C-alpha cells in the first residue's frame, strides 16, 4: 500500500519569496512516480510536476522544482518567486508499480500568497 | 480545446434518483480514471479503464457503474443516489497505465454533485 503525508494544512508566503511544501511518502514498490497538483479556488486540478523514482536529477518546471530525497522518502515542492496566483490547495500524490497507475493523494496544503 | 472535459459541471438532484456524468478526452490517451473528492478535499480513486477495459475497481458501492464506449470516453452512472454521494467527481486520463512520465494524469474540471 502507498501512503502520502502532507503535514502542513496551511502555509503563508510573501509575494516574490520562495516556499517549500512538504511531502513524505511510504511505499514498498521499488519503482514509483511522485506528482504535485494545484487546485485553485475554481476547483480544477492542475498537474505541476512529476518525478520518477529512478530519475537521477530533481524535476523542475519553470518556478516549480521537486526536492526529491529518496532515502528520506520525501518529495517537497519548492515554488520560487511566489505570485498571488499561486494561492491554492496543493496536493502531493504518487503511483506505484503495483497500483495499476492509481494516484494516491495526500491531504493537501492550502497556500496563501500575501502582498 | 479542453483536453479532458466533463459534463455537467454542477448536478443537483434528489435522493433516490439516477444520474450520469460524462467524460471525454481528446488527448489520444489510452487510460481514463474517475476520482472522488469529499467535503474535506480528500481525493480517492474509484475506477480506471485502459482501452475500454476495467483495470481498477476500488471499494465503491455497486450503485456506481462506469462505462467506456471507446477509449476517449468514460462515463459514470450512479443509481439510487444517497446523501453521502455528494462530492466532486473528477475524470482524468493518461497516455498509458504503467509507470513513467507517460502516466501523468490530466484532470477534467470536476463535477460537483449535490444530493438533497
Amino acid at each position: 500500500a502507498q501512503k502520502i503525508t502532507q503535514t502542513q494544512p496551511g502555509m503563508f508566503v510573501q509575494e516574490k519569496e520562495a516556499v517549500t511544501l512538504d511531502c513524505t511518502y511510504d511505499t514498498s514498490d521499488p519503482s514509483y512516480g511522485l506528482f504535485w497538483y494545484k487546485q485553485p479556488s475554481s476547483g480544477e486540478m492542475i498537474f505541476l510536476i512529476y518525478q520518477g523514482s529512478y530519475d537521477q536529477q530533481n524535476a523542475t518546471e519553470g518556478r516549480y522544482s521537486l526536492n526529491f530525497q529518496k532515502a528520506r522518502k520525501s518529495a517537497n515542492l519548492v515554488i520560487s518567486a511566489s505570485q498571488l496566483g499561486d494561492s491554492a490547495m496543493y496536493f502531493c500524490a504518487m503511483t506505484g508499480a503495483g497500483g495499476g497507475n492509481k494516484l494516491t493523494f495526500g491531504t493537501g496544503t492550502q497556500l496563501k500568497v500575501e502582498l | 480545446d479542453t483536453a479532458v472535459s466533463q459534463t455537467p459541471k454542477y448536478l443537483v438532484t434528489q435522493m433516490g434518483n439516477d444520474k450520469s456524468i460524462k467524460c471525454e478526452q481528446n488527448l489520444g490517451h489510452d487510460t481514463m480514471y474517475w476520482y472522488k473528492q469529499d467535503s474535506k478535499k480528500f481525493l480517492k480513486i474509484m475506477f480506471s479503464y485502459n482501452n475500454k477495459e476495467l483495470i481498477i475497481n476500488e471499494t465503491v458501492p455497486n450503485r456506481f457503474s462506469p462505462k467506456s464506449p471507446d477509449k476517449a470516453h468514460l462515463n459514470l452512472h450512479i443509481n439510487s443516489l444517497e446523501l453521502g454521494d455528494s462530492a466532486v467527481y473528477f475524470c482524468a486520463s493518461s497516455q498509458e497505465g504503467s509507470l513513467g512520465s507517460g502516466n501523468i494524469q490530466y484532470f477534467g474540471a470536476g463535477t460537483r454533485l449535490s444530493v438533497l
Side-chain angles (χ1 to χ4, degrees):
Chain A
Q2 294 146 6
K3 187 175 179 183
I4 293 281
T5 302
Q6 293 180 256
T7 56
Q8 305 155 314
M11 288 278 286
F12 289 89
V13 65
Q14 296 255 311
E15 198 182 17
K16 299 178 188 174
E17 297 289 310
V19 63
T20 298
L21 305 185
D22 294 342
C23 172
T24 57
Y25 61 90
D26 193 23
T27 182
S28 55
D29 288 327
S31 186
Y32 48 88
L34 295 156
F35 304 78
W36 279 90
Y37 285 86
K38 173 184 178 182
Q39 187 175 38
S41 57
S42 49
E44 68 269 32
M45 292 286 290
I46 302 166
F47 165 73
L48 293 178
I49 197 165
Y50 163 81
Q51 177 88 41
S53 58
Y54 288 114
D55 293 341
Q56 295 292 322
Q57 292 193 318
N58 286 346
T60 60
E61 290 283 353
R63 293 185 300 110
Y64 304 109
S65 59
L66 199 152
N67 184 359
F68 179 45
Q69 298 192 36
K70 198 168 183 177
R72 291 186 171 186
K73 293 190 174 179
S74 74
N76 298 341
L77 177 71
V78 181
I79 306 175
S80 62
S82 296
Q83 301 171 356
L84 294 177
D86 294 333
S87 294
M89 182 74 100
Y90 289 81
F91 291 97
C92 181
M94 74 178 302
T95 56
N101 202 39
K102 69 177 183 183
L103 280 167
T104 299
F105 284 88
T107 49
T109 296
Q110 183 73 48
L111 176 68
K112 176 113 170 89
V113 181
E114 299 173 315
L115 287 168
Chain B
D1 278 347
T2 304
V4 182
S5 58
Q6 295 178 228
T7 52
K9 190 165 172 61
Y10 300 97
L11 188 51
V12 181
T13 188
Q14 300 283 334
M15 257 191 333
N17 283 351
D18 302 340
K19 290 292 177 187
S20 292
I21 306 171
K22 295 186 176 181
C23 179
E24 175 182 4
Q25 54 93 4
N26 63 6
L27 296 167
H29 287 170
D30 286 336
T31 309
M32 296 184 73
Y33 312 79
W34 279 109
Y35 288 86
K36 179 180 179 180
Q37 186 174 40
D38 64 22
S39 58
K40 295 183 178 176
K41 300 259 185 180
F42 187 67
L43 280 140
K44 192 168 180 202
I45 184 79
M46 299 174 71
F47 302 103
S48 170
Y49 271 74
N50 181 264
N51 214 357
K52 300 195 296 175
E53 283 195 37
L54 180 67
I55 55 171
I56 295 175
N57 185 352
E58 291 289 292
T59 311
V60 175
N62 57 15
R63 299 182 295 103
F64 290 78
S65 54
K67 283 194 171 52
S68 182
D70 55 61
K71 73 173 194 176
H73 295 84
L74 180 61
N75 304 324
L76 183 65
H77 189 75
I78 316 169
N79 288 329
S80 304
L81 278 153
E82 299 177 358
L83 293 176
D85 298 332
S86 294
V88 180
Y89 293 84
F90 283 99
C91 177
S93 73
S94 65
Q95 177 69 43
E96 55 194 61
S98 56
L99 284 179
S101 57
N103 75 348
I104 293 168
Q105 294 181 32
Y106 296 93
F107 283 72
T111 295
R112 183 175 293 276
L113 172 64
S114 298
V115 182
L116 307 176

